[in-house]
Amino acid sequence: MGTNVNKPSHKAGLMTGAEAVVQSLVAEGVELLFGYPGGAIMPVYDALYGAEDQLKHILTRHEQGATHMAQGYARATGKVGVCIATSGPGATNLITGIADAQIDSTPMVCITGQVMSSLLGTDAFQETDIIGISMPVTKWNVQVTKAEDIPTAIAKAFYIARSGKPGPVLVDITKNAQFDQVDFNYVPFEGMRSYKPVPVASTDQIKVAAELINNAKRPFVLFGQGIILSQAEEEFKAFIEKTGIPSAWTIMGLSALDTDHELNVGMLGMHGNYAPNKLTNECDVLIAVGMRFDDRVTGDLTKYAKQAKVVHIEIDAAEINKNVTAHAPVLGDAKDILKQLIPLVKENSHEQWLQRFKDFEQEEIDQVIREELKPSKDIMSMGEVIGQINELSNGDNVIVTDVGQHQMVACRYAEFKQSKSMITSGGLGTMGFCLPAAIGAKMGVPNKQVIAVIGDGGFQMTIQELGTILESKVAVKILLLNNEFLGMVRQWQELFFEKRYASTIMVNPDFQMIAKSYSIKTALIDDRKNLEQGVKEMLEHDGAYFLEVRVGKENNVFPMIPSGVAVSDIRLK
């Protein structure tokens, strides 16, 4: 994970624990801190007040927003995202974002205030056992009750958060520890005997993997976020280009390989592309790189790739053989393993096998994609809106999505030419993720165009973060695809519950009026003839922009793999 090379120098010497917190963050190269103040963290906020030249604090409108902003920042930059909150409800409001970061392997350090150590266990005002609550969803957590332990705890937190398979870490600091004095001297954490974040890959297993790949007639690569996290994009590209193997991505792996690359055959999973899902059960060697065989990718495991020999390249030993048995498990860092694997594999093309993917792709184009991107109906589709963004930009946008139909459409149709340019909530599927994550991403990469693609349901879960845009003047573009439904749930209700739309119809407010009240420039499009100009104005506007597009209320996202069936049973209609 990256660090800030232009970080200001931290102070040293005698200071309060609260000041030590701030100086520890400065020493770690933290640029932005997302948070919300309260009683138990007030000493740290007081220390921040005099350190504006070293560390910028972004006041969010809810603690959950702070976690998602830290996530968006981390995912866009490759650095550790940092958020801060008070005890009790402030701390518990972080949990959703922490859980999201844990399952999506996002490096994040969360700092919470806690009641005085003398009051621990007494049910004091705003006391909550955040260590016990957060333990299942953190990579590591710790409670600090003495000022002298603060620097070491924070150094260890950053090391654990960013090393190996990244994840969220929580440091809970009692109020007395923040007030007490410490002779501060920051020493970066360099490791411990009990924690080996990057396993050393077995050369024997790499040779076994190479032999399987070289002898394969119908090999197929599945790649995930591990490519991005290990910064292995170039090695991965070299590997597939040498071997000529068709490659498909999980939504967390999207943008690791250019979407228009000739060997990129599309998205895996429930609403993925037709070809990669159909042909998973026809390949003879399945090579998984930096992905964990999530149930949305595999469908019914009893019918998943049973004909194939499986090569699994993965940094986390817990993922090996967890869902899919690997014939050649290669445990280690993807970048290092690919470097060793490339000289061992033979140059190949697999033209006939690749043609099978192209044939299925054409079938999907004819039956689904053409109508989705260029609808013959009067009503607009989500796909044509994303297509318009593609036409008016060059694929270097950072797209952030919420969760639902718009998420699947954006992942399916948005074009990417740079890594770290698709940010979404994958494993947890957190509605409300998009708006704050887009704010954090834009703050992390201010020179890039960041577009928040969001639905009317998820938007209202963290809509208060429009206040953060107002205060911090973040030039994020918000594209609201409004179908007045909780669209993904409604689609399932239509297909599997006889159109009983139980609690999925949305009675929405005037979003235009709300955005304007936060001094954000807005536009509403409900006619296709205005779409191109509306998207163009959004992209060209210098500052935050809110574009609401009214799309079909009962449009469905296809292809689709129904629950409990094989991936090869994917439906085009």
Side-chain angles (χ1 to χ4, degrees), residues 13 42 75 96 150 155 214 217 257 291 305 312 401 405 435 458:
M42 202 176 299
R75 296 269 292 278
T96 296
I150 288 173
N214 288 334
K217 303 299 182 184
L257 180 70
M291 56 86 72
H312 193 178
T401 82
Q405 286 182 318
L435 180 60

Side-chain angles (χ1 to χ4, degrees), residues 215-512:
N215 293 328
K217 303 299 182 184
R218 299 180 307 281
F220 184 26
V221 168
L222 317 180
F223 65 95
Q225 190 186 201
I227 300 294
I228 298 171
L229 294 175
S230 66
Q231 301 178 45
E233 292 90 346
E234 290 304 315
E235 289 81 3
F236 178 72
K237 184 179 177 182
F239 167 71
I240 64 169
E241 288 180 348
K242 183 177 182 180
T243 56
I245 303 178
S247 303
W249 37 269
T250 70
I251 64 169
M252 296 301 292
L254 178 52
S255 84
L257 180 70
D258 290 5
T259 47
D260 62 357
H261 192 284
E262 62 180 355
L263 292 172
N264 189 332
V265 295
M267 181 170 81
L268 299 160
M270 184 170 285
H271 290 285
N273 293 109
Y274 196 51
N277 282 297
K278 290 288 287 186
L279 294 176
T280 293
N281 281 356
E282 292 188 27
C283 68
D284 60 354
V285 174
L286 191 67
I287 305 113
V289 187
M291 56 86 72
R292 59 189 180 87
F293 289 111
D294 176 79
D295 64 292
R296 288 296 170 109
V297 165
T298 65
D300 183 355
L301 279 168
T302 65
K303 302 174 183 177
Y304 184 77
K306 292 301 179 183
Q307 79 294 337
K309 299 290 186 182
V310 176
V311 176
H312 193 178
I313 299 171
E314 170 62 44
I315 199 169
D316 185 359
E319 299 296 344
I320 299 288
N321 297 326
K322 184 174 79 174
N323 295 324
V324 174
T325 300
H327 301 82
V330 188
L331 185 63
D333 177 75
K335 187 181 185 78
D336 175 57
I337 292 167
L338 288 170
K339 282 182 177 179
Q340 296 182 60
L341 189 60
I342 289 169
L344 301 178
V345 293
K346 299 175 182 177
E347 289 193 20
N348 213 328
S349 60
H350 299 290
E351 291 180 3
Q352 291 184 334
W353 173 234
L354 184 59
Q355 187 60 48
R356 294 288 312 282
F357 286 86
K358 292 178 180 178
D359 292 342
F360 276 122
E361 179 187 20
Q362 188 59 52
E363 195 173 339
E364 183 179 352
I365 289 171
D366 293 340
Q367 296 193 44
V368 178
I369 296 175
R370 185 174 291 118
E371 177 65 19
E372 183 69 22
L373 294 180
K374 302 285 185 182
S376 57
K377 301 174 183 177
D378 291 336
I379 195 72
M380 284 183 288
S381 72
M382 293 182 182
E384 70 177 304
V385 181
I386 301 301
Q388 195 66 68
I389 291 175
N390 293 336
E391 290 180 19
L392 294 172
S393 57
N394 56 8
D396 63 354
N397 304 305
V398 175
I399 303 289
V400 186
T401 82
D402 214 81
V403 174
Q405 286 182 318
H406 70 276
Q407 176 191 33
M408 296 295 101
V409 170
C411 289
R412 283 174 53 81
Y413 298 121
E415 296 175 356
F416 298 100
K417 295 182 179 179
Q418 295 183 17
S419 186
K420 300 186 183 73
S421 52
M422 164 52 83
I423 299 172
T424 193
S425 173
L428 197 64
T430 303
M431 290 180 68
F433 171 87
C434 179
L435 180 60
I439 293 170
K442 181 62 178 178
M443 289 182 169
V445 288
N447 295 325
K448 291 187 179 182
Q449 183 81 274
V450 177
I451 305 171
V453 181
I454 196 166
D456 49 313
F459 181 50
Q460 292 179 83
M461 287 196 170
T462 50
I463 195 170
Q464 68 275 2
E465 299 308 335
L466 293 175
T468 304
I469 295 176
L470 171 64
E471 180 173 336
S472 299
K473 297 179 173 57
V474 192
V476 67
K477 306 297 164 45
I478 304 165
L479 175 60
L480 176 67
L481 300 177
N482 186 357
N483 60 6
E484 298 183 343
F485 265 107
L486 297 177
M488 186 62 79
V489 183
R490 184 215 58 76
Q491 177 169 334
W492 280 69
Q493 289 173 334
E494 175 187 337
L495 298 176
F496 306 111
F497 292 88
E498 300 177 349
K499 290 191 175 184
R500 293 191 295 274
Y501 295 158
S503 301
T504 48
I505 299 172
M506 298 292 288
V507 178
N508 290 324
D510 185 334
F511 292 121
Q512 296 292 302

